[in-house]
Amino acid sequence: MQTNSQLRPSSYYLVGLIFALAGAILFSAKAIVAKLLYREGIDAVSLIALRMLLAAPFFVAVAFWTWRQLPALSARDFFRITLLGLLGYYLSSFLDFLGLQYISAGLERLILFLTPSFVLLFNIGWFKQRVTPRQWLSLGIAYCGIVLVFWHDLQIGGQHHVVLGSTLVLASAIAYALYLVFSGELLQRVGTLRLVALAMSVSCMACLLQYAVLRPFSTLFNQTLPVWGLSLINATLCTVFPVFLTMMAVARIGA
């Protein structure tokens, strides 16, 4: 008869899988919301700035709440967290939203679903991780799907736009994969909530600073009611919730 301690590892892993699945579903809705926002006449710079403006209070609040957790953060930790924030949710998100201006939401989703394959390849290169035949098979199926959808969009969307948009989203997937790979060690030591809150706070500041550099910051608030409503959905259901769910999944089942 199995005891609770014997059952815990499998249930702990299962919870991680559920978190990962929920995070992936919520992240997927981001592409649809972005397409709806583009119909309202805003661009990628405004879209990501509004997203982070509305998401920032949640991340800052969690950052303050977890600030005194042990261990204390060193200057090296702050540097790595800042780098992760700029890489994982500033650069990755900006490239993704730029790409969505040129390709369909379906193709964007499929390209981003290659992120796990990049994580696996990075782990092979840096950490000499062994790959099972089943993992190689899943990679092959994923890339075959990308080729089919890419070819379909190429026929109906114009070669230049589809190639440009796909390249931007592919770069976004690579940036996010690097974030997942290099956040693993920090997650265990710093804590999931604290790491996510601090990294995302950095990302929010970077996105808002980008907007302030490119155009008058006051114009960010001159948006229509539909833009504010969609941006709130983008900030909460498509950003705050999936960000924490994904990192809690990484903490349980690995990148």
Side-chain angles (χ1 to χ4, degrees), residues 12-13 15-17 19 188 192 247-254:
Y12 190 76
Y13 189 84
V15 170
L17 289 176
F19 284 161
Q188 302 300 327
T192 304
M247 283 299 98
M248 288 189 290
V250 170
R252 285 166 170 77
I253 64 177

Side-chain angles (χ1 to χ4, degrees), residues 43-55 94 97 204 207-212 217 220 231:
D43 61 4
V45 175
S46 300
L47 192 155
I48 194 171
L50 287 167
R51 178 198 193 198
M52 293 310 200
L53 175 70
L54 296 174
F94 186 56
F97 286 128
C204 291
C207 293
L208 295 174
L209 180 61
Q210 173 184 259
Y211 189 93
F217 191 75
L220 181 62
S231 296

Side-chain angles (χ1 to χ4, degrees), residues 172-193:
S172 169
I174 293 172
Y176 190 62
L178 288 170
Y179 167 80
L180 291 176
V181 169
F182 291 115
S183 64
E185 185 270 334
L186 275 177
L187 276 176
Q188 302 300 327
R189 190 163 53 82
V190 174
T192 304
L193 290 180

Side-chain angles (χ1 to χ4, degrees), residues 64-180:
F64 274 112
W65 180 54
T66 59
W67 181 253
R68 293 189 176 182
Q69 288 185 3
L70 295 177
L73 298 178
S74 64
R76 184 169 180 266
D77 289 331
F78 278 115
F79 174 78
R80 293 178 65 184
I81 290 172
T82 300
L83 190 61
L84 287 174
L86 293 175
L87 179 68
Y89 288 103
Y90 166 66
L91 180 61
S92 177
S93 294
F94 186 56
L95 291 171
D96 183 30
F97 286 128
L98 279 177
L100 270 169
Q101 294 181 114
Y102 304 105
I103 61 175
S104 67
L107 179 57
E108 180 264 0
R109 276 296 95 194
L110 282 177
I111 294 174
L112 285 187
F113 283 149
L114 293 179
T115 297
S117 71
F118 293 132
V119 171
L120 186 62
L121 293 173
F122 291 147
N123 278 327
I124 294 171
W126 275 304
F127 304 112
K128 309 304 179 185
Q129 177 178 316
R130 294 183 61 186
V131 182
T132 65
R134 184 169 58 180
Q135 289 174 319
W136 283 120
L137 177 62
S138 69
L139 290 182
I141 294 173
Y143 281 95
C144 286
I146 292 297
V147 170
L148 289 174
V149 178
F150 179 81
W151 180 257
H152 172 266
D153 280 34
L154 203 61
Q155 304 305 308
I156 64 174
Q159 182 174 354
H160 175 71
H161 282 176
V162 173
V163 171
L164 175 59
S166 298
T167 301
L168 290 168
V169 175
L170 184 65
S172 169
I174 293 172
Y176 190 62
L178 288 170
Y179 167 80
L180 291 176

